[in-house]
């Protein structure tokens, strides 16, 4: 299967730490939720202090008008090319209905916060449809950590369900080795250009220590063998790009 999606943000996609239903069964029906993604560069003369003032004002607006919204800031670490932007802004809702209500409220009255966005940064905007692969114990959201994004293509005789099942098999094997991580599949939806791949595999860890444990489990304890067997004739994914993230505001 090959689907042509839109132009990539963060060069490989963006992630959203939304609370999604647990899907332990590889054959369970997938549930999707929307995530908005912005890659942003500071305007001349603007810096982190200006961004802080903006996020303070925006969070105040969100608490009053968009209770289902969660958002994060990401900075690039190991990355093929992040020269055109300074940070990423990732926002999410648990449903499309919540997203629509939030945008209606924003369009109706943004309390002049929109002008602050225009003053502080220039951004590219996109929207993805996200389904969970694995979730944290209890569904709790992490306030900070590290996350990677990898472009994936599904083999012609397979489908998205099979690809999700392969990722879950890999995640289960790594969890048995003591690794703590969560993961999603991101399908580009709106605001993308011409890129040929099917989805982003997005995986997050609560710390670099946990990421390092995953490195050892993968390369030195046989994780790569499990991955090879799980993904055979199903899908293939590119080398990931890595980011540090922190939560700015969680949904109430």
């Amino acid at each position: 299967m090959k689907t042509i999606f839109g132009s990539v943000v963060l060069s490989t996609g963006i992630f959203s730490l939304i609370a999604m239903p647990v899907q332990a069964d590889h054959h369970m029906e997938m549930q999707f939720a929307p995530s908005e993604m912005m890659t942003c560069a500071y305007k001349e003369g603007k810096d982190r202090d200006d961004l802080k003032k903006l996020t303070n004002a925006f969070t105040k607006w969100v608490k009053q008008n968009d209770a289902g919204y969660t958002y994060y800031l990401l900075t690039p670490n190991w990355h093929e090319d992040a020269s055109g932007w300074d940070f990423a802004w990732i926002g999410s809702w648990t449903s499309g209905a919540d997203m629509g209500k939030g945008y209606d409220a924003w369009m109706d009255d943004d309390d002049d916060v929109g002008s602050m966005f225009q003053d502080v940064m220039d951004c590219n905007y996109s929207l993805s449809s996200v389904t969970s692969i694995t979730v944290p114990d209890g569904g709790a959201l992490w306030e900070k950590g590290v996350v990677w994004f990898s472009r994936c293509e599904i083999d012609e005789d397979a489908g998205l369900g099979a690809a999700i099942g392969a990722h879950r098999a890999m995640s289960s094997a790594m969890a048995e080795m003591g690794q703590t991580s969560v993961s999603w599949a991101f399908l580009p939806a709106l605001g993308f250009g011409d890129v040929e791949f099917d989805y982003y595999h997005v995986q997050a860890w609560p710390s670099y220590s946990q990421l390092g444990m995953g490195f050892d489990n993968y390369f030195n304890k046989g994780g790569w063998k499990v991955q090879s067997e799980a993904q055979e004739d199903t899908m293939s994914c590119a080398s990931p790009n890595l980011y540090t993230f922190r939560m700015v505001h969680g949904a109430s």
Side-chain angles (χ1 to χ4, degrees):
M1 183 177 86
K2 177 63 66 67
T3 305
I4 299 178
F5 290 121
S7 72
V8 186
V9 287
L10 290 190
S11 294
T12 58
I14 293 286
F15 115 107
S16 155
L17 283 177
I18 56 180
M20 297 290 292
V22 176
Q23 299 173 331
D25 187 336
H26 293 180
H27 302 288
M28 287 181 66
E29 181 179 354
M30 291 175 285
Q31 299 292 317
F32 292 86
S35 172
E36 66 174 356
M37 306 168 293
M38 298 183 285
T39 48
C40 303
Y42 290 115
K43 289 193 172 180
E44 185 175 356
K46 301 299 179 178
D47 56 23
R48 292 182 180 180
D49 290 338
D50 299 290
L51 179 60
K52 179 64 175 178
K53 294 176 184 178
L54 167 60
T55 56
N56 286 343
F58 181 70
T59 296
K60 179 180 179 181
W61 183 92
V62 166
K63 289 179 178 179
Q64 297 174 347
N65 298 280
D66 196 358
Y69 187 79
T70 295
Y71 75 105
Y72 295 77
L73 294 179
L74 280 68
T75 53
N77 192 339
W78 287 294
H79 198 290
E80 58 188 310
D81 182 15
S83 60
W85 53 276
D86 298 306
F87 63 92
W89 176 305
I90 314 302
S92 65
W93 301 263
T94 54
S95 71
D98 283 344
M99 178 193 72
K101 291 177 182 177
Y103 263 97
D104 280 342
W106 179 257
M107 296 300 180
D108 182 58
D109 183 7
D110 65 12
D111 199 23
D112 294 327
V113 179
S115 62
M116 295 183 68
F117 275 89
Q118 299 299 319
D119 183 58
V120 172
M121 57 200 188
D122 289 317
C123 301
N124 293 322
Y125 300 84
S126 299
L127 184 78
S128 285
S129 180
V130 182
T131 188
S132 63
I133 298 173
T134 59
V135 296
D137 292 339
L141 303 180
W142 294 338
E143 293 187 1
K144 62 180 181 178
V146 57
V147 61
W148 79 25
F149 302 82
S150 178
R151 295 179 290 263
C152 297
E153 296 183 9
I154 301 173
D155 290 358
E156 290 200 9
D157 294 331
L160 181 61
I164 296 298
H167 287 302
R168 288 180 182 152
M170 178 63 179
S171 295
S172 295
M174 297 295 275
E176 290 176 0
M177 298 180 190
Q179 177 179 305
T180 300
S181 66
V182 294
S183 54
W184 304 262
F186 273 58
L187 283 69
L190 299 175
F192 289 78
D194 294 330
V195 171
E196 292 190 11
F197 60 96
D198 291 302
Y199 65 95
Y200 311 111
H201 176 232
V202 180
Q203 189 161 359
W205 294 261
S207 67
Y208 278 91
S209 295
Q210 281 293 325
L211 173 69
M213 179 185 293
F215 181 97
D216 289 336
N217 290 340
Y218 182 83
F219 287 105
N220 300 320
K221 297 183 179 180
W224 65 271
K225 296 179 181 178
V226 176
Q227 183 182 50
S228 179
E229 293 174 359
Q231 295 184 358
E232 185 176 7
D233 299 325
T234 303
M235 84 292 194
S236 59
C237 298
S239 175
N241 290 341
L242 196 76
Y243 312 87
T244 301
F245 72 83
R246 68 175 179 87
M247 180 191 291
V248 183
H249 173 73
S252 58

